[in-house]
Structure formats: structure tokens, C-alpha cells
Amino acid sequence: MSVAFSEENQKEFERLLTRYPDREAVILPALHLVQQQYGDVTSEGIEYVAGLLGLSAARIEGVATFYTMYNRKPVGKYHVQVCRNIACSLLGAEHLIDHVSGKLGVKPGQTTADGKFTLAKVECLGACGTAPVMMINDDYYENLTAAKIDSILDGLK
């Protein structure tokens, strides 16, 4: 598969270049555009962004692997990311990860057989005040309990 922005994403990329005078500042939003268009950020996507920005692929790869928000392989229709940082951990995140894992029948890093759900443990979702939290695609779910998770996931099936 050859990576290239759609016409719409190309226009957005060009708009980003006018907004940020430093090309390094465009790395994150450019990677978001790749992920938005293809569902994940592959090595081809990294090479494409590197070429567009005139930066090394290693530099782009470093950014893409540092942040957990970039999917390095395809994920299910619903990407369930459960935070395991300190605030979430103190409020039972590991128990909730085990709960989600049991409910979906997959371990963190795996996708359900029907391709609908991918479960991931992530280091921080930046919502410590409402811990424990999880993110499904672009939506946050806060102050989680096992019952609340059941309700959320059942609503997605």
C-alpha cells in the first residue's frame, strides 16, 4: 500500500504548515492525519511524513513510538485504552483492565476475533482528576467502575 494524503488531508497538511513555522511542530498533527486516513501509522506512513516535512524517518519514528495515541498496527472498530498511571492505578485500574479483558475475551494488545474491540493499557490519558479513565476511539469515560464499563461496552455491541 502506498501512503499519500487524500485531497482533504493534503489541504489540512498544507494549512498546518502555515500555522506552525517549525516543521517539527507539524509531526504530531501529520501523524494524526495518517492515522485518521489509514487507521494506523505504519513504517510507510512514517516515511511519507518524513518526506513531506524534510525530516529523517528516525525522527518521525521516535515521535510515533513515544506517544501511545498512534496505533502502530491495525486496531478494532473500537480501540479501548485503559489508563494505568498512578491515579488510575490507585483507584483500581488493574482490576478494571482485568475486567475488560475478561469481558472481551482478549488480553491487552489483542483484538477480538470479530475485529470489533482492541484492548490496550496506556500509560496516561491525562485525566487524573476523574480517575480511573478509559478512552474508546476519541471519547473519554471517567470515574469508571466495572458496572459502568459493562454498560459502556454493551452499548457498543
Side-chain angles (χ1 to χ4, degrees), residues 42-122:
T42 63
S43 295
E44 286 179 304
I46 286 171
E47 291 281 344
Y48 180 69
V49 170
L52 290 174
L53 294 175
L55 300 170
S56 73
R59 176 71 182 117
I60 307 302
E61 177 86 21
V63 172
T65 57
F66 179 80
Y67 294 101
T68 59
M69 62 193 158
Y70 298 112
N71 306 324
R72 297 307 313 270
K73 61 183 183 180
V75 295
K77 178 178 179 182
Y78 299 108
H79 190 199
V80 180
Q81 300 177 78
V82 183
C83 182
R84 66 176 189 171
N85 209 326
I86 189 69
C88 290
S89 290
L90 290 172
L91 294 169
E94 288 302 322
H95 166 72
L96 295 177
I97 291 167
D98 291 343
H99 180 77
V100 174
S101 180
K103 184 167 182 69
L104 297 178
V106 294
K107 294 178 180 174
Q110 295 180 332
T111 300
T112 57
D114 62 3
K116 205 164 189 178
F117 294 95
T118 298
L119 174 61
K121 289 195 255 185
V122 295

